[in-house]
Amino acid sequence: MKFILATIFAINILVTQCNAACYTQMNALSPGGEEPKGCLDENGVLHEFNTRWRTKDCLDCSCGTAWISCCSAHGRPVNYDKKKCFVKYDKNACTVEVLQKKDPTKECERYAMVG
């Protein structure tokens, strides 16, 4: 069991370094050192194993028996005309748009997104 947890931990470090929009953390033991019954989110809410949820910060999270993994629900625009355009994040809908500064009702062309 310790070997499996160590392997998962090592893989999680590699995944975190490869994609900055995601993070993975080990699922903490319950008080008293018992096996966890699920995953506790940042608000202390318990999520059952093999479930998914979205946080108020637009992270899509999943609960495994040994880990919690969260990734950004949207990418970050890059390689767009920063002089003519701006990025608008909507935290309620978890969306991102690149809009024209002169006319914010029109979208700008974007060439790439990361995350």
Side-chain angles (χ1 to χ4, degrees):
M1 181 67 176
K2 289 181 184 179
F3 175 76
I4 293 171
L5 289 176
T7 303
I8 291 171
F9 183 72
I11 291 170
N12 290 338
I13 290 172
L14 291 173
V15 169
T16 302
Q17 290 176 347
C18 295
N19 187 348
C22 295
Y23 70 88
T24 304
Q25 66 187 40
M26 298 298 286
N27 200 359
L29 293 175
S30 300
E34 305 143 14
E35 289 292 320
K37 294 180 175 32
C39 299
L40 284 176
D41 67 15
E42 69 274 3
N43 297 317
V45 175
L46 183 67
H47 298 272
E48 293 181 19
F49 293 126
N50 302 313
T51 59
R52 296 178 171 271
W53 68 95
R54 180 168 281 177
T55 71
K56 65 178 170 41
D57 297 321
C58 297
L59 294 173
D60 289 328
C61 298
S62 59
C63 174
T65 55
W67 47 263
I68 300 169
S69 179
C70 296
C71 293
S72 177
H74 55 74
R76 181 175 50 87
V78 294
N79 198 14
Y80 62 93
D81 189 340
K82 292 175 178 67
K83 291 180 183 177
K84 295 180 182 176
C85 307
F86 71 98
V87 177
K88 178 185 173 191
Y89 292 98
D90 183 345
K91 284 194 118 180
N92 293 323
C94 294
T95 59
V96 61
E97 295 177 293
V98 181
L99 303 173
Q100 295 179 10
K101 289 180 180 178
K102 287 185 178 179
D103 185 357
T105 63
K106 295 182 181 175
E107 283 200 56
C108 287
E109 187 172 349
R110 51 186 164 180
Y111 301 103
M113 301 266 289
V114 294

